[in-house]
Amino acid sequence: MDWRNNRLCELLGIEHPIIQAPMAGATSQEMVVAACNAGALGSLGSAEYTSEKLEAEFAYIRANTNAPFNANFFTHDEPDIDAEKGAAARKRLAPWYDEYSFEKVPEAIPSSRSFNKEICDCICALKPAVVSFHFGLPDAELVAQIKAEGIKILCSATSVQEAVWLEQNGVDAIIAQGFEAGGHSGWFMDRNGADLTGMFALVPRIVDAVSVPVIAAGGIMDGRGVAAALVLGASGVQMGTAFISAPESLVSDVHKNAASNASGDDTVHSTAFSGRKARTIVNRYALEFADVKDWPDFPIGNTLSKPLRKASSDVGSPDAMALWAGQAVGLNQTKSTAEIIEDVVAQTKGILGNMG
Ligand SMILES: Cc1cc2nc3c(=O)[nH]c(=O)nc-3n(C[C@H](O)[C@H](O)[C@H](O)COP(=O)(O)O)c2cc1C
């Protein structure tokens, strides 16, 4: 079985069926180049980038690799500006700002916009090989515009229902994102109060339900995880937490230290940082707000918490930071992006080779 000779590699034009996950605030242009040059698909976490920033990062990447790469965007509903929820959130955060920063709690306004026509025009002019979306797809006209340029579209799904809808609405491959995954869950359809699903339970059911290639995400840190995902029927994997401590990662040393010391049994989904469920290493902030449900809509929480998160990091304290990491963070290593990919490829080859 040649695990690298598969539909996903063919679709995306890559050597190994491994995607370095887009991670807003963590992935750098240097990480994308390193991942691409190691034969994986490098991904820019560009959800909060302006057109100018996108152009600059694309120029750097293209000057340093000829390989295909991915640019990732968020596709959330624009938030309701609810004055009461905003005031309650600001009141809750005031003691934290008093403790960590001389600044006032920011106004409760959105930190960034969802993927829109302006960014779509920019992306269609820049033409990356791949665009990926988190929290669902943009409007059908924008999807059609991207597809008309020959750009491949990926999107995260957290349920079979979402995966089927994504296939019907034009995606070229589906990222099956399990409960284990670090950072924001990409859920976008109501789950009637049910929990998110783990990667092992999600991947084979999505593989059975759609005909496009499926990419497994959540808890995959080494060749064992890649081999398991492929045996479950995935055509490839997307790995995020594995790269957060790499020298090319933009997260602070406080975040990297927390990741090095975390076991993986110490992460939690929290809505208190952004307004949407995201997996972080447990800290004082996540614990204090664990039961609070009425945060302003995403991404207003980012505006409210970002200066505090930075102030906490600046004084070397993990207590008020968003320490995004997945449930397998205990397997995290401080290696370069290229070394991580080389090791994962060698381990996977060893395991699948031995299976005959
Ligand atoms: C620090 C961090 C930031 C993330 N930011 C994004 C993002 O901007 N866009 C996105 O689609 N996924 C984001 N994710 C989720 C990843 O794409 C992926 O689903 C996840 O990392 C897979 O699980 P793992 O972390 O266990 O490997 C992020 C994950 C982490 C750890």
Side-chain angles (χ1 to χ4, degrees):
M1 162 180 192
D2 186 353
W3 61 282
R4 288 174 299 178
N5 183 11
N6 79 16
R7 293 201 294 157
L8 188 72
C9 292
E10 212 169 285
L11 176 76
L12 305 180
I14 51 178
E15 193 184 343
H16 313 304
I18 297 172
I19 300 178
Q20 163 258 307
M23 297 182 281
T27 49
S28 61
Q29 54 190 10
E30 291 81 8
M31 183 183 283
V32 175
V33 167
C36 288
N37 287 338
L41 184 75
S43 306
L44 261 187
S46 36
E48 296 177 342
Y49 286 6
T50 58
S51 303
E52 294 72 32
K53 173 96 168 148
L54 273 174
E55 282 162 10
E57 301 248 329
F58 271 56
Y60 176 89
I61 294 167
R62 287 187 161 141
N64 290 285
T65 183
N66 293 322
F69 62 94
N70 168 33
N72 170 261
F73 299 95
F74 291 162
T75 35
H76 51 88
D77 292 337
E78 290 303 340
D80 284 339
I81 310 290
D82 181 321
E84 237 171 75
K85 279 188 185 172
R90 296 185 72 222
K91 196 168 165 203
R92 242 174 255 138
L93 295 187
W96 285 82
Y97 272 82
D98 288 345
E99 183 177 342
Y100 280 98
S101 142
F102 295 113
E103 290 178 49
K104 281 211 160 80
V105 186
E107 293 301 321
I109 53 172
S111 57
S112 57
R113 289 180 63 204
S114 180
F115 187 77
N116 53 50
K117 176 72 178 144
E118 184 199 333
I119 296 289
C120 190
D121 288 345
C122 174
I123 271 299
C124 287
L126 289 170
K127 290 194 193 30
V130 184
V131 163
S132 72
F133 293 109
H134 212 44
F135 316 135
L137 288 175
D139 290 346
E141 307 85 72
L142 300 187
V143 170
Q145 188 183 340
I146 296 167
K147 286 177 86 79
E149 297 296 340
I151 299 168
K152 303 292 181 235
I153 299 182
L154 316 181
C155 186
S156 307
T158 63
S159 66
V160 171
Q161 189 193 9
E162 288 176 354
V164 169
W165 184 88
L166 289 175
E167 179 173 43
Q168 285 166 351
N169 286 277
V171 301
D172 295 288
I174 287 164
I175 302 154
Q177 191 202 30
F179 175 79
E180 304 88 336
H184 282 93
S185 162
W187 71 271
F188 60 96
M189 284 181 171
D190 188 23
R191 301 178 67 87
N192 296 319
D195 275 348
L196 288 165
T197 310
M199 191 274 279
F200 253 78
L202 185 65
V203 168
R205 289 188 302 113
I206 291 185
V207 168
D208 287 350
V210 300
S211 57
V212 293
V214 175
I215 299 150
I220 300 169
M221 301 292 284
D222 56 28
R224 293 172 294 182
V226 178
L230 297 181
V231 171
L232 289 173
S235 298
V237 299
Q238 175 161 296
M239 299 164 60
T241 300
F243 294 100
I244 57 176
S245 294
E248 298 89 354
S249 162
L250 296 175
V251 307
S252 68
D253 287 345
V254 186
H255 193 153
K256 288 182 182 180
N257 285 340
S260 299
N261 294 323
S263 69
D265 299 324
D266 43 12
T267 70
V268 68
H269 271 138
S270 172
T271 53
F273 294 99
S274 70
R276 282 191 71 111
K277 234 182 236 274
R279 187 172 292 285
T280 174
I281 297 166
V282 170
N283 60 4
R284 189 156 67 87
Y285 182 97
L287 284 177
E288 176 164 325
F289 297 128
D291 296 327
V292 179
K293 302 274 185 268
D294 65 336
W295 293 102
D297 290 353
F298 180 88
I300 295 172
N302 279 333
T303 310
L304 293 173
S305 70
K306 268 194 179 170
L308 173 67
R309 284 146 65 173
K310 176 156 188 326
S312 178
S313 173
D314 287 348
V315 297
S317 165
D319 286 359
M321 292 174 62
L323 301 166
W324 304 147
Q327 287 187 319
V329 63
L331 298 169
N332 185 59
Q333 296 188 39
T334 316
K335 289 185 191 162
S336 72
T337 299
E339 282 174 309
I340 293 167
I341 294 166
E342 280 160 24
D343 286 357
V344 168
V345 168
Q347 291 157 0
T348 310
K349 203 189 255 178
I351 296 167
L352 294 178
N354 290 338
M355 286 172 71

